[in-house]
Amino acid sequence: MLIYIITLFLIAIFSLYPYMNNNTSQSRRIYLYLSFTIMTFILGLRGKMVGEDTQHYLHIFKNAANVKWLDMIRSAGMRTGYYTDEYGYTDTIENGFLIIAKVVHWFTDNGQIFLFLVAAATCILFAKFIYDNCKKVVFPTYIFLCESMFMIAFNGARQILAAAVAVQAYTYLKNRKWKKAIFIILIASLIHNVALICFALFPIMMIEPKKEFRSFKYAMIATIAAPFGIVLAQAIVTKLFPRYIAYFSSNFWTNHLGGISILWSIEFILIMVCYVKHFKVENSFRNSCLVLVYLTCELMGLRITMFSRVGWFFRPYLMVFLPGCKNYFTKRTWQLIQSTLVILLTLLYFSYARTPARLYTFFWQ
């Protein structure tokens, strides 16, 4: 637990730098560099027992050396078998992630270096997303650290790396660079197939400003109808991605929401504030829709785990949505809202940190 407290404290101290330097471009870059470097080292130097799937990723890396490039070219779809157990079952992994592992093998067979490089790539890409899309970088960084994206990287390292790649499409779509956005999402899907869901950004980002208010009504209808689409989604996943069938057979209604339900409620209320005020702040319609998709996935994820995993690809947009809500409130009101969010995020951070799987040890211990 101490390592997480130190991390939070250091990132809080670093935030003084852009504040004292009038939030200049250089001060934002330095803050992001310092903050995400700390997070990279915490993720990259973790022991194999830290995080539910860390040993699994080390296993993938070890066996990737035995996979032939020709087998990857011949493989059907976007996955290749990398390991066959004693019972003849062959496990597969996305080709993009397998390529990363094989390229690292050109230089070293040390699995810890592989984990570190995956962590570094993830943090660099999220830092870039914040710098490209946020005028102030401290609050978005705090959201990344505390809301769960940082903690998810201990467990779903492959999926959060894919999300870090896919989120770059947002910047291209804002600038109407459609082909580059398509390319980015396809690259992300080679790391984790579920990244294909990010093509949902296109219809949202293509809506003209004058049609935003009316279009949001349809987004709300879709949100209400989404839970009823679970049966259809199950049929599609069963046919196209049988590997993920297990996600549809798990019932998690007995889970307790806890404090995160308060956070979700605040996020939904902020979305409705943006709607009532006709999305007068630039990009607030887009960000509201993306966060609405995230919340919908999380609610459906209470019943079926798969949807919560899909929500991971829309979770990063909280980093642009929440800070962007500032312009809808008076200074004093926003200070109260932001303070409440910071308290909730801090409690959530320590809640994740206290789980047995996050009991931190360095790899050499």
Side-chain angles (χ1 to χ4, degrees):
M1 181 63 126
L2 179 61
I3 193 69
Y4 300 115
I5 296 174
I6 293 173
T7 301
L8 185 67
F9 175 76
L10 287 175
I11 290 177
I13 293 297
F14 296 155
S15 68
L16 296 175
Y17 187 75
Y19 176 78
M20 295 172 62
N21 288 274
N22 298 315
N23 199 45
T24 62
S25 177
Q26 182 184 34
S27 67
R28 296 199 304 273
R29 287 198 299 269
I30 291 175
Y31 171 77
L32 289 171
Y33 174 80
L34 293 173
S35 298
F36 279 89
T37 295
I38 290 292
M39 287 186 271
T40 295
F41 275 95
I42 298 303
L43 290 169
L45 299 181
R46 69 187 186 274
K48 64 181 181 179
M49 300 303 293
V50 184
E52 294 87 339
D53 289 342
T54 300
Q55 291 188 82
H56 175 59
Y57 293 122
L58 291 172
H59 176 70
I60 292 171
F61 175 73
K62 178 182 178 181
N63 288 279
N66 302 320
V67 178
K68 297 179 180 179
W69 290 98
L70 189 59
D71 290 339
M72 295 173 61
I73 296 173
R74 291 173 175 173
S75 64
M78 298 185 289
R79 304 178 66 93
T80 300
Y82 69 92
Y83 173 74
T84 301
D85 64 20
E86 57 185 306
Y87 303 104
Y89 172 76
T90 299
D91 203 357
T92 63
I93 198 72
E94 281 85 350
N95 287 342
F97 195 74
L98 197 55
I99 288 171
I100 294 172
K102 288 186 67 62
V103 169
V104 173
H105 269 294
W106 289 349
F107 307 97
T108 178
D109 293 326
N110 189 320
Q112 198 64 45
I113 294 178
F114 173 68
L115 290 179
F116 188 90
L117 292 175
V118 169
T122 301
C123 288
I124 289 170
L125 288 169
F126 274 118
K128 182 181 184 302
F129 172 74
I130 292 173
Y131 183 78
D132 288 343
N133 297 283
C134 302
K135 294 180 180 179
K136 294 187 177 181
V137 298
V138 173
F139 190 34
T141 300
Y142 198 79
I143 294 170
F144 175 83
L145 174 69
C146 298
E147 200 277 338
S148 76
M149 285 170 277
F150 171 68
M151 290 297 182
I152 287 173
F154 284 99
N155 176 24
R158 180 167 56 92
Q159 189 163 347
I160 203 67
L161 174 60
V165 174
V167 80
Q168 308 304 316
Y170 175 87
T171 307
Y172 288 118
L173 288 172
K174 281 201 311 181
N175 297 315
R176 309 187 72 80
K177 297 180 180 180
W178 314 114
K179 292 181 181 179
K180 290 184 177 180
I182 292 172
F183 177 75
I184 288 293
I185 293 174
L186 290 176
I187 291 296
S189 70
L190 291 176
I191 299 173
H192 200 289
N193 294 160
V194 180
L196 290 171
I197 195 66
C198 293
F199 278 112
L201 270 69
F202 281 77
I204 294 173
M205 302 295 283
M206 288 178 175
I207 294 174
E208 299 175 5
K210 62 181 180 180
K211 296 181 180 179
E212 289 179 347
F213 184 75
R214 184 176 61 184
S215 298
F216 190 77
K217 297 177 182 179
Y218 298 112
M220 288 299 299
I221 293 172
T223 298
I224 296 171
F228 299 99
I230 290 178
V231 176
L232 177 61
Q234 183 175 7
I236 293 173
V237 171
T238 300
K239 185 176 181 179
L240 299 180
F241 303 107
R243 177 184 177 83
Y244 300 113
I245 293 176
Y247 288 123
F248 283 89
S249 61
S250 302
N251 188 322
F252 289 90
W253 279 120
T254 55
N255 283 1
H256 297 288
L257 284 174
I260 198 168
S261 61
I262 301 174
L263 190 60
W264 289 350
S265 299
I266 293 175
E267 289 163 1
F268 183 74
I269 290 171
L270 290 174
I271 289 173
M272 296 313 297
V273 168
C274 295
Y275 170 69
V276 169
K277 297 191 176 183
H278 290 247
F279 303 107
K280 65 179 183 180
V281 177
E282 185 180 12
N283 294 317
S284 63
F285 166 76
R286 297 166 173 174
N287 298 337
S288 295
C289 287
L290 292 170
V291 172
L292 188 62
V293 173
Y294 154 66
L295 292 175
T296 302
C297 289
E298 287 290 358
L299 290 174
M300 291 193 296
L302 294 174
R303 176 64 178 84
I304 297 175
T305 309
M306 177 68 179
F307 290 102
S308 182
R309 293 297 185 100
V310 170
W312 288 4
F313 286 95
F314 296 93
R315 207 165 197 152
Y317 299 106
L318 288 169
M319 295 187 290
V320 290
F321 170 73
L322 292 176
C325 291
K326 175 182 178 179
N327 296 318
Y328 284 104
F329 301 93
T330 63
K331 183 178 180 180
R332 179 171 294 184
T333 302
W334 177 246
Q335 286 176 341
L336 177 61
I337 294 172
Q338 188 176 37
S339 297
T340 302
L341 288 171
V342 167
I343 292 171
L344 289 172
L345 288 169
T346 304
L347 293 174
L348 188 63
Y349 174 75
F350 286 119
S351 175
Y352 286 123
R354 286 198 299 269
T355 59
R358 301 296 179 278
L359 181 62
Y360 196 87
T361 57
F362 288 100
F363 73 92
W364 60 78
Q365 293 179 313

